[in-house]
Amino acid sequence: MSSYLEIEKLSLEIICSEKSVNNKMLLLCSLLDKKLSHYNWTGFYLADVENKLLHLGPYIGEATDHTIIPFGKGICGQAAETNKTFLVDDVNAESNYISCNINVKSEIVVPIIKEGVVLGQIDIDSNTIAAFKEQDQLLLETICKALAPYII
Ligand code: SME
């Protein structure tokens, strides 16, 4: 398995490439899914700030019914409202949680912010309890910060 530093380097190469932003997001999902075995669903949601909605973007993992999530609803919607990373060790202990798959045990959502406005987020589910550590948060926050300028 690659180190987090190597994964960060590969992620930044994808982000700085000439590809479309959609392609970059899909390649990032694919990279993270392949390199980190505790990432069991990896995807992006993109924000419609005016209507306070999140729309499902590129992802790797099982199809989800939750293609549109209102701000404030679930882990994703709460991260969109607070503009802060939301790390959940045990999703079953959360009352404001939207379940996509009964196997999911923990989740991390990192918002993508440009000039104080939420543009979207990366959302990772794990089938392991408390799967996400500080190194995951730092990696995902680096990715979201680097990706933000490319999102229109
Ligand atoms: N669990 C999320 C919903 C999105 S799925 O994980 C893909 C939530 O509570 O917002």
Side-chain angles (χ1 to χ4, degrees), residues 25-132:
M25 289 191 281
L26 189 56
L27 287 169
L28 287 166
C29 292
S30 171
L31 174 77
L32 296 171
D33 178 75
K34 202 161 58 182
K35 298 282 185 188
L36 295 162
S37 57
H38 57 298
Y39 286 32
N40 298 121
W41 190 95
T42 302
F44 286 89
Y45 279 92
L46 294 165
D48 166 3
V49 177
E50 208 174 307
N51 295 301
K52 292 190 175 287
L53 294 173
L54 292 163
H55 290 265
L56 182 64
Y59 68 94
I60 299 277
E62 270 183 42
T64 172
D65 289 340
H66 305 290
T67 54
I68 300 179
I69 299 176
F71 281 22
K73 204 165 169 253
I75 309 302
C76 294
Q78 292 176 80
E81 266 192 340
T82 60
N83 276 2
K84 283 201 184 110
T85 296
F86 198 161
L87 198 165
V88 179
D89 284 342
D90 178 5
V91 293
N92 292 313
E94 290 292 320
S95 52
N96 190 356
Y97 167 69
I98 304 165
S99 173
C100 288
N101 178 326
I102 51 155
N103 297 317
V104 174
K105 302 279 191 305
S106 58
E107 177 162 5
I108 184 168
V109 178
V110 176
I112 304 170
I113 299 155
K114 189 157 73 179
E115 288 155 17
V117 178
V118 66
L119 303 176
Q121 55 190 216
I122 191 164
D123 174 22
I124 326 277
D125 288 339
S126 180
N127 298 344
T128 304
I129 203 144
F132 304 108

Side-chain angles (χ1 to χ4, degrees), residues 133-147:
K133 311 291 178 201
E134 197 188 0
Q135 56 189 359
D136 297 286
Q137 181 168 347
L138 291 174
L139 170 68
L140 298 170
E141 286 178 354
T142 300
I143 289 174
C144 287
K145 205 170 168 192
L147 190 62

